[in-house]
Amino acid sequence: MRFGWLLASLMLTACAQTPLRGTGDLGIVIERANGRVAVVDTTAKSVLGRIDGLGDLSHASVVYGRDGRHAYVFGRDGGLTKVDILEQRIDKRVMQAGNSIGGSISQDGRLVVAQNYTPGGIKVFDAVTLELLAEVPTQSKVVGLVDLPGQKFAYALFDKGEIWVTDLSDPRQPRTEKYPAGLQPYDGLVTPDGRYYMAGLFGEDGIALLDTWRPELGVKKILQHYGKGEEKLPVFKMPHLRGWAVAGNQAYLPAIGRHEVLVVDKGNWQEAGRIAVKSQPVFVMARPDGRQVWVNFAHPDNSWVQVIDTLTGKVIKTLQPGKAILHMEFSPRGEHVWLSARDDHSVHIYDTQTFERVATLPAQSPSGIFFTSRAARMGF
Amino acid sequence: MRAALVLLSLLFSPLVSASEGAVSASDTIRLVRQDCGSCHGMSLQGGLGTPLTREALAGQSAEALAVIILHGKHGTAMPPWKSLLSATQAQWIAERLLEGFPEEKQP
């Protein structure tokens, strides 16, 4: 009795001490070695808490439900975990594949789709219950999965060299269209309006482009022969396309095996220039306003970050923020950028105007950083 | 006890690299787990690259694997590491892979 009263009063205090709050300035940092994520506050620039027990998080990625409260974490070991970032707890967790690489969420937020290496294919889950609704086997590793308007998803097949678009308007009856793309697509992106899907090719120079408004035209290759037959440098890390960089009328893409960022004109999809950078780019990401593009690099140059001014097309800043910079994420309107420094066990926060470091947070082997502002963006 | 000693000596024995002088075994373990891991998975269970577990590599010789590590596999995403790793290091990695690669010790 006495105990029950104590418990009740404790619970009351606990409630009183947790004021209501929104999630618009929250996010997640993956702590890849520990199977743990840190919940962070981008206004206070602090770690609010940690959620454990998420399995192998090397190469993990996150998508948000449209409530900006529930996050779906896709782990390398095939684990799919739904976490509640306000209550900082795991809501549901399923082991959905042997080896997975990421996922996506549907336009209406009701379907979560995982892309898998082993066995190859995509799996469709109910976003509330994580019940498995459908599978599309591919007999190939799946890369570059993105959501499209109309409950569709586009993805590329590494081993088969194809782009597939699956319509999940009826989630239990997926309908898939297939397009030849080119040799070894390694990742994909969709333009912010959800219209163009691009898959970067590893096995040949060029990028496969599908206009999803006019799929009957098929895939067109752009930036073909950008390497001009030159032997490419060894690629020690696959670049990522997912954090697209579309700024104004131009798209910025990492060149494979070259120390260059490629610039493409979005009007005609022709090469509009190249920008020489420090090393082989991994992420090429536009600040939300599109004025700057930030670039990080592959091993062994992964302690560097460069900033391109999109107006002049020049590198305006070279930073060495820490050891092994794996990922970058902008605050919702871009005044700050968060950089994960895996081998410093830190996340560094920089002001994007002054390039001054404004804060450093501790994190164990941090990799991906994902803010809730992704909840409302297509392709994220 | 014996095994622990062997492991300890493995972890702390310097690996001599032609270009950079001594490289510690723990740095090499970290490189394999983290940087080879970006393709092969940190647990080496496979990713874009094939699994590098003891079971997956069974029957292959350390020498052959070391050649792949140094020179890559043409026409695949496996890059040549000879600009970053010495032949000694590659051989050491290949031998450890065949035994089951050691875990990185947590900081």
Side-chain angles (χ1 to χ4, degrees):
Chain A
M1 178 58 207
R2 185 84 161 272
F3 180 73
W5 194 82
L6 190 70
L7 197 70
S9 70
L10 267 179
M11 279 167 74
L12 274 177
T13 353
C15 291
Q17 282 171 350
T18 315
L20 286 175
R21 66 162 300 156
T23 62
D25 55 357
L26 299 186
I28 279 178
V29 176
I30 305 283
E31 296 187 292
R32 78 188 228 172
N34 301 63
R36 186 168 80 178
V37 298
V39 177
V40 295
D41 177 331
T42 59
T43 304
K45 297 188 261 318
S46 64
V47 175
L48 296 180
R50 291 192 154 84
I51 308 172
D52 275 297
L54 281 78
D56 178 356
L57 294 183
S58 53
H59 215 297
S61 68
V62 173
V63 298
Y64 284 96
R66 60 202 271 172
D67 60 7
R69 169 173 180 175
H70 293 98
Y72 301 86
V73 184
F74 301 87
R76 192 47 170 276
D77 55 0
L80 164 57
T81 314
K82 180 182 179 190
V83 300
D84 178 334
I85 60 172
L86 276 184
E87 292 188 349
Q88 295 170 24
R89 62 175 179 82
I90 293 179
D91 182 73
K92 293 225 153 46
R93 177 171 161 80
V94 293
M95 288 305 290
Q96 58 89 20
N99 195 325
S100 169
I101 194 77
S104 210
I105 187 158
S106 62
Q107 184 176 36
D108 68 0
R110 287 163 183 251
L111 305 174
V112 171
V113 179
Q115 57 177 335
N116 295 326
Y117 279 167
T118 331
I122 62 166
K123 283 191 179 178
V124 184
F125 298 88
D126 181 301
V128 177
T129 61
L130 296 191
E131 180 200 351
L132 178 66
L133 300 177
E135 282 180 66
V136 181
T138 54
Q139 283 90 41
S140 163
K141 296 181 190 100
V142 176
V143 299
L145 174 74
V146 302
D147 54 298
L148 299 177
Q151 300 293 94
K152 289 183 180 166
F153 291 84
Y155 46 101
L157 308 191
F158 180 78
D159 311 284
K160 281 194 177 161
E162 291 177 345
I163 291 174
W164 288 15
V165 177
T166 296
D167 184 337
L168 293 170
S169 330
D170 179 353
R172 293 193 187 265
Q173 303 290 330
R175 281 178 297 132
T176 302
E177 304 287 340
K178 305 171 184 179
Y179 307 89
L183 287 178
Q184 296 177 323
Y186 64 88
D187 199 9
L189 70 85
V190 64
T191 48
D193 54 10
R195 175 166 180 179
Y196 294 99
Y197 180 72
M198 282 183 243
L201 302 174
F202 182 82
E204 58 184 289
D205 281 347
I207 288 179
L209 176 80
L210 180 70
D211 179 352
T212 66
W213 290 8
R214 304 185 66 192
E216 66 284 359
L217 299 181
V219 166
K220 167 171 153 185
K221 293 253 180 79
I222 61 168
L223 297 179
Q224 255 175 314
H225 318 299
Y226 67 77
K228 304 208 182 73
E230 288 168 32
E231 189 67 25
K232 67 180 174 211
L233 302 167
V235 177
F236 296 115
K237 180 166 175 141
M238 286 289 178
H240 286 262
L241 295 178
R242 188 160 177 146
W244 48 258
V246 178
N249 292 324
Q250 297 185 319
Y252 297 77
L253 300 162
I256 285 266
R258 306 178 65 83
H259 296 184
E260 285 172 348
V261 168
L262 306 172
V263 188
V264 194
D265 185 315
K266 264 185 67 205
N268 55 17
W269 296 108
Q270 299 291 311
E271 180 175 325
R274 298 167 181 221
I275 300 164
V277 288
K278 175 106 194 144
S279 185
Q280 292 184 42
V282 174
F283 280 100
V284 174
M285 300 179 92
R287 198 172 68 177
D289 64 342
R291 179 65 198 267
Q292 293 177 352
V293 166
W294 287 60
V295 186
N296 72 341
F297 302 102
H299 178 85
D301 294 314
N302 56 11
S303 62
W304 299 91
V305 166
Q306 285 187 314
V307 185
I308 295 166
D309 174 27
T310 55
L311 195 62
T312 59
K314 297 225 155 58
V315 172
I316 50 163
K317 193 76 193 176
T318 300
L319 297 164
Q320 202 168 11
K323 284 193 250 151
I325 304 296
L326 292 195
H327 197 216
M328 313 179 277
E329 178 86 333
F330 292 96
S331 56
R333 297 195 189 187
E335 82 286 9
H336 292 148
V337 63
W338 289 43
L339 306 168
S340 51
R342 184 193 66 204
D343 294 353
D344 285 344
H345 302 292
S346 312
V347 171
H348 300 296
I349 306 172
Y350 277 75
D351 182 308
T352 61
Q353 289 290 344
T354 63
F355 306 111
E356 301 289 331
R357 181 181 298 187
V358 294
T360 291
L361 305 178
Q364 274 307 314
S365 299
S367 57
I369 306 176
F370 304 90
F371 294 158
T372 53
S373 43
R374 290 174 174 249
R377 293 168 78 182
M378 222 168 314
F380 280 81
Chain B
M1 181 59 202
R2 186 80 161 273
L5 272 179
V6 175
L7 194 70
L8 268 180
S9 66
L10 270 178
L11 284 170
F12 296 109
S13 61
L15 283 167
V16 181
S17 141
S19 52
E20 291 166 39
V23 181
S24 79
S26 63
D27 283 349
T28 309
I29 293 172
R30 184 161 181 84
L31 172 105
V32 172
R33 291 269 166 205
Q34 302 287 342
D35 296 302
C36 310
S38 78
C39 286
H40 292 282
M42 227 162 60
S43 58
L44 305 178
Q45 303 283 344
L48 212 55
T50 43
L52 298 180
T53 53
R54 191 173 61 154
E55 301 73 38
L57 298 176
Q60 305 215 49
S61 74
E63 288 65 30
L65 295 180
V67 168
I68 295 177
I69 295 169
L70 287 176
H71 301 283
K73 274 183 107 171
H74 199 73
T76 79
M78 174 62 188
W81 288 83
K82 59 180 185 298
S83 58
L84 300 175
L85 296 173
S86 66
T88 323
Q89 269 178 301
Q91 181 70 23
W92 187 86
I93 293 170
E95 285 167 10
R96 299 293 87 69
L97 286 172
L98 287 172
E99 299 167 356
F101 203 76
E103 292 294 330
E104 209 183 324
K105 64 177 189 340
Q106 291 303 323

